[in-house]
Amino acid sequence: MVEWSFLIIEFLIKALIILTLILLIAAAFGVYLERKISAFIQNRIGPNRVGPFGILQPFADVIKLFLKEDITPYAADKFFHRIAPVISLGVAFSVYAVIPFADPFKYGDKLIYFSITTPDVNIGILFILALTSVGVYGITFAGWSSNNKYSLLGGLRSSAQMISYELSMGLSIVGVLLVAQTLSLQEIVQKQALWNWNIFYQPLGFIVFLVSAFAETNRAPFDLPEAEPELVGGYNTEYSGMKFGMFFLAEYANMFTSSLIIVLLFFGGWNLPIPPEWIGLEPGSFWLSLIQFCILIFKTLLMVFFFIWVRWSVPRFRYDQLMYLGWKVLLPLALINLIVTSIVIYILK
Amino acid sequence: MNRIENTEHQRLTFWEKLYLPEIAKGLGITLRQMFKPKFTRQYPEERWEPTGSYRGRPVLVLDEDGERCVACGLCSRVCPALAIEVQAAETEREKERYPEKFEINMLRCIFCGFCEEVCPEEAIVMSKDYELVFTNREDGILGKDKLLVPIHKLQDRLEFLREYK
Ligand code: SF4
Ligand code: SF4
């Protein structure tokens, strides 16, 4: 009984800390970064009024969104209209349940894991793939229930796009899984210790995964679901107030998740670039875990920077180009990558 | 045969079809832009001082011997937006006439500058004033108290008019 209550409290505390951190870093800081970087690329300064260097701008935005009137169109399907943003944001955040952020550390004689669910989930990456596919529902429902042709087109586009790119995304991950011989994110990262990063073993898989990740998160150059010039606002045209804000946050949370998974799978996750003993940190100590966590977040933010950088450099794809790229280029590439990897691993064994 | 010529497929070279090198080039350009000097002006702190050619809020000129306007009503007549209302009255001064009431409705004014062009006395000119905020419709109608501006503040515009009008 005592054991159980300890587990639950540990779980709650970790969930609270990690979700708050993610919300702050991923959503708030992500929005801030996006605005600043886009400003710099366009020779502007960007937000600099709210707080030092405008760092509180995202909070001002959210407060503004909360105070806005929440409009539901008369012809909308009220239930689905209401539930769509919840699905989007809920899915975006529930992914963090299984993502480990560092090696476990010892507290007394207990091993504490640096992830929300206590024992490392051994099918972590599968769970994440499954959940991110559910995110499509949020967008599709939003598009359909608004009863607006632009929203509907946006929703349709996004479901077609996500379904097409999920295939190549999944296949490119299989390459990594073959190299690592495990589905657990914890072990995949531990196998990449020091500079044994998967990107060196799976460069093709990395490119396929990266492009698919851009498409999955609806980011430019694949932001067709919300293509402003053609679709007004895309699937979220009929949303206002915090409902719109939830889609907005979900988009940034998804971008952060994708960056995090790219770092975990391909860029060595939280591994230090030098053996931890060199700076006097024992494996299993709290400080090591903390440093690993910081390294992971740092790498992820670099990746987020890359996402934003690409968005403000590359124009949007046309719809047929998007489908051509997904089915005729990325899918065969992912398959070739998979076959070559399997053969090489079979020979090396 | 009905064939489409000059498609993207035929136009692009192999490396361009790969997209990635071209995207990398584009990324390089935007990265360079990030470190270039910025063009932003920090508005409320850093104000822009327009030159004489700027057409801001139309104002009435007030020179050493009082207002110049003789209330001929030409500006009111020419104003395409019907923004000006003038009511003439007589005075003892040399010019004999002066506007008893002179109002410009800034909700209507389109800053065309016709009033200034048509005025025989150079009494109404466009100023450099571009901060025209008011919070209700009554405040948008400017009376003589707000319109009369001492001549030394309008030198730039008057010089500009003498040279180019
Ligand atoms: S401002 Fe000029 S044009 Fe207008 S009434 Fe006075 S003198 Fe006539
Ligand atoms: S600037 Fe044009 S619109 Fe404005 S008061 Fe003069 S004539 Fe009328």
Side-chain angles (χ1 to χ4, degrees):
Chain A
M1 192 58 217
V2 176
E3 191 67 356
W4 267 106
S5 49
F6 184 79
L7 267 183
I8 289 172
I9 290 173
E10 181 193 337
F11 169 76
L12 281 180
I13 291 176
K14 280 198 296 198
L16 209 67
I17 292 175
I18 290 180
L19 282 184
T20 318
L21 264 181
I22 293 306
L23 194 70
L24 273 182
I25 298 175
F29 197 58
V31 174
Y32 174 73
L33 269 186
E34 172 106 51
R35 296 180 66 161
K36 270 291 186 198
I37 292 171
S38 65
F40 281 165
I41 285 180
Q42 299 168 347
N43 293 334
R44 297 181 285 118
I45 294 179
N48 64 347
R49 297 281 151 167
V50 198
F53 302 107
I55 198 113
L56 298 177
Q57 184 67 42
F59 299 98
D61 289 348
V62 167
I63 291 171
K64 186 201 81 174
L65 282 175
F66 264 115
L67 296 178
K68 290 265 166 172
E69 184 187 355
D70 181 29
I71 302 165
T72 312
Y74 178 68
D77 186 315
K78 303 281 180 310
F79 176 70
F80 284 112
H81 192 76
R82 218 164 285 158
I83 205 161
V86 180
I87 295 179
S88 269
L89 193 63
V91 166
F93 277 131
S94 50
V95 171
Y96 291 99
V98 295
I99 295 182
F101 291 94
D103 277 333
F105 59 92
K106 288 200 192 73
Y107 178 74
D109 52 351
K110 271 189 66 71
L111 204 57
I112 295 188
Y113 284 86
F114 229 104
S115 63
I116 295 183
T117 42
T118 303
D120 178 31
V121 180
N122 57 2
I123 53 153
I125 191 69
L126 268 188
F127 182 79
I128 291 172
L129 274 185
L131 263 187
T132 45
S133 337
V134 178
V136 186
Y137 282 105
I139 292 177
T140 318
F141 281 166
W144 175 77
S145 68
S146 301
N147 211 345
N148 168 332
K149 58 187 173 221
Y150 295 119
S151 305
L152 182 62
L153 280 174
L156 281 180
R157 277 186 184 185
S158 94
S159 32
Q161 174 179 330
M162 285 189 163
I163 291 167
S164 320
Y165 279 81
E166 222 146 60
L167 286 175
S168 27
M169 191 175 201
L171 282 175
S172 61
I173 289 183
V174 177
V176 175
L177 299 181
L178 280 176
V179 174
Q181 303 282 339
T182 168
L183 275 171
S184 144
L185 280 169
Q186 191 101 31
E187 284 170 44
I188 290 176
V189 173
Q190 276 156 4
K191 289 241 164 77
Q192 307 177 54
L194 296 179
W195 292 93
N196 276 326
W197 293 3
N198 275 333
I199 184 174
F200 303 127
Y201 301 113
Q202 290 282 316
L204 191 58
F206 168 68
I207 289 173
V208 174
F209 187 87
L210 186 69
V211 177
S212 320
F214 271 99
E216 283 286 301
T217 47
N218 289 332
R219 294 282 302 183
F222 304 108
D223 56 349
L224 284 106
E226 42 190 305
E228 297 92 1
E230 325 153 25
L231 293 181
V232 193
Y235 61 89
N236 55 28
T237 306
E238 297 292 352
Y239 281 87
S240 57
M242 203 49 211
K243 277 192 204 150
F244 167 75
M246 284 165 88
F247 280 121
F248 200 64
L249 288 185
E251 191 190 319
Y252 282 90
N254 277 334
M255 181 169 77
F256 195 78
T257 317
S258 299
S259 312
L260 198 58
I261 292 170
I262 289 173
V263 169
L264 286 174
L265 290 183
F266 292 99
F267 286 100
W270 56 76
N271 284 307
L272 273 67
I274 48 169
E277 288 82 14
W278 288 12
I279 47 173
L281 288 170
E282 281 170 38
S285 70
F286 172 71
W287 292 111
L288 180 61
S289 297
L290 199 66
I291 287 179
Q292 286 174 334
F293 178 73
C294 294
I295 285 179
L296 182 67
I297 295 295
F298 176 69
K299 283 181 183 173
T300 310
L301 284 181
L302 281 185
M303 206 60 220
V304 169
F305 169 76
F306 182 71
F307 266 71
I308 296 171
W309 182 17
V310 167
R311 169 164 180 195
W312 294 97
S313 307
V314 185
R316 183 179 301 128
F317 272 77
R318 221 168 48 211
Y319 197 64
D320 61 318
Q321 293 171 328
L322 175 94
M323 285 298 157
Y324 181 90
L325 188 69
W327 289 100
K328 291 194 177 167
V329 181
L330 287 186
L331 191 62
L333 276 183
L335 281 171
I336 291 171
N337 181 48
L338 180 59
I339 292 168
V340 172
T341 315
S342 336
I343 292 174
V344 169
I345 286 179
Y346 184 74
I347 292 172
L348 288 184
K349 259 202 176 158
Chain B
M1 261 231 297
N2 191 7
R3 286 185 57 195
I4 302 171
E5 295 292 330
N6 191 26
T7 57
E8 252 160 56
H9 194 70
Q10 294 156 350
R11 234 171 19 236
L12 302 181
T13 66
F14 173 73
W15 287 106
E16 283 168 344
K17 267 185 235 162
L18 271 186
Y19 287 133
L20 292 179
E22 296 294 312
I23 289 179
K25 258 192 236 167
L27 288 178
I29 290 173
T30 44
L31 188 68
R32 247 175 289 141
Q33 290 300 322
M34 267 185 236
F35 302 104
K36 293 245 173 88
K38 313 281 177 261
F39 292 109
T40 311
R41 188 192 307 270
Q42 296 282 316
Y43 165 60
E45 292 95 37
E46 221 180 299
R47 273 157 214 273
W48 172 58
E49 180 61 24
T51 59
S53 63
Y54 187 78
R55 292 207 308 265
R57 178 174 73 101
V59 294
L60 291 175
V61 182
L62 185 69
D63 66 11
E64 296 82 50
D65 18 85
E67 56 196 317
R68 279 183 172 181
C69 177
V70 292
C72 68
L74 280 176
C75 53
S76 166
R77 184 90 179 93
V78 80
C79 178
L82 308 181
I84 305 181
E85 191 187 338
V86 195
Q87 255 168 39
E90 298 202 359
T91 92
E92 296 303 308
R93 284 170 45 207
E94 188 192 349
K95 280 177 179 171
E96 290 181 1
R97 278 159 63 89
Y98 84 105
E100 192 180 41
K101 176 177 170 198
F102 199 109
E103 277 181 359
I104 298 184
N105 187 343
M106 292 313 291
L107 289 163
R108 307 199 65 131
C109 176
I110 53 170
F111 305 95
C112 61
F114 284 5
C115 46
E116 166 191 65
E117 227 168 277
V118 82
C119 180
E121 298 286 323
E122 208 170 57
I124 186 166
V125 294
M126 309 301 276
S127 67
K128 291 180 182 179
D129 194 358
Y130 54 85
E131 287 162 337
L132 307 160
V133 184
F134 37 84
T135 48
N136 60 47
R137 302 184 79 91
E138 280 71 46
D139 289 358
I141 301 169
L142 304 183
K144 261 171 76 175
D145 53 326
K146 297 209 183 80
L147 284 177
L148 285 169
V149 172
I151 190 165
H152 63 90
K153 287 194 186 160
L154 301 167
Q155 275 314 319
D156 280 358
R157 183 67 185 177
L158 291 173
E159 269 159 35
F160 172 83
L161 288 177
R162 247 157 247 148
E163 200 168 335
Y164 295 102
K165 190 171 154 184

